[in-house]
Amino acid sequence: MTRDDLFKTNAGIAKGIVEACAKYCPAAVLGMIVNPVNSVVPAMAELYKKKGLDPMKIVGITTLDVVRANKFVGEITGKNPNFINIPVIGGHAGSTIMPVFSQDKIAKTIAEDKIAELDKHVQNAGTDVVDAKGGKGSATLSMAYAGARFGKSVLAGLAGRRRVEGAHCKRDVTGLPY
């Protein structure tokens, strides 16, 4: 399946969900686990905007890459990944995934000559899972965990508790729209 095929298939599924939410729960925050996140989320945000709704309520869940980066750093350092927080910026496809190891106190202890290999490990983790399953699946449990973690953070935030979670969403703080 090409990236274009993936986009067409997943954008069609996402469109149905976004249209239903626009009709039945327009105030909801939509956390979308979708690939390619950096293409589908902007399209769905524009759809929401055309319906007169807040496009910033369409959020692409990129927590999976954070969870993977945290786990790999934990393996290297022998530390608990629950106390590691590697910000991951960019998209959710190969080299567009950019873990920022320098922003975590535990990851900062990793030798600089190991970082390029660690970058590749995070960037290729999804492909590694697909390959391990013989092309017959993806990281469904990992995605579920990432979605649950993200959802828990959103609910905590809506309840007034401070949470920080990476996501792919529309923004208005720089000249870049996403």
Side-chain angles (χ1 to χ4, degrees):
M1 177 179 279
T2 68
R3 296 296 282 178
D4 284 343
D5 293 336
L6 185 66
F7 174 79
K8 288 175 188 170
T9 298
N10 290 345
I13 295 166
K15 182 179 180 192
I17 293 167
V18 168
E19 286 178 337
C21 290
K23 183 174 180 179
Y24 297 106
C25 54
V29 175
L30 279 67
M32 306 190 82
I33 300 175
V34 63
N35 198 2
V37 68
N38 45 326
S39 301
V40 175
V41 167
M44 296 307 108
E46 286 304 310
L47 177 62
Y48 229 47
K49 184 177 176 182
K50 285 180 183 173
K51 293 183 175 295
L53 301 170
D54 183 359
M56 294 179 86
K57 298 261 183 164
I58 306 290
V59 183
I61 298 175
T62 58
T63 309
L64 180 55
D65 296 318
V66 172
V67 169
R68 288 175 172 158
N70 294 349
K71 180 183 185 310
F72 299 152
V73 168
E75 289 174 345
I76 290 170
T77 62
K79 302 290 184 185
N80 184 335
N82 291 329
F83 300 105
I84 299 169
N85 190 22
I86 311 299
V88 179
I89 59 176
H92 178 67
S95 62
T96 67
I97 300 169
M98 297 175 51
V100 189
F101 299 109
S102 62
Q103 298 302 301
D104 180 78
K105 64 184 177 192
I106 295 171
K108 282 183 187 180
T109 66
I110 298 171
E112 192 174 322
D113 64 336
K114 303 274 188 208
I115 296 298
E117 182 180 334
L118 189 53
D119 273 334
K120 291 289 181 209
H121 192 31
V122 174
Q123 291 169 345
N124 295 326
T127 302
D128 292 345
V129 171
V130 171
D131 290 347
K133 290 184 168 187
K136 297 184 192 256
S138 61
T140 50
L141 289 177
S142 299
M143 286 187 278
Y145 172 78
R149 176 179 149 165
F150 185 84
K152 187 176 175 181
S153 290
V154 169
L155 292 173
L158 291 171
R161 295 189 306 275
R162 180 172 159 72
R163 293 292 186 270
V164 176
E165 203 64 67
H168 190 75
C169 57
K170 187 164 183 58
R171 62 177 178 234
D172 57 10
V173 293
T174 69
L176 300 173
Y178 287 85

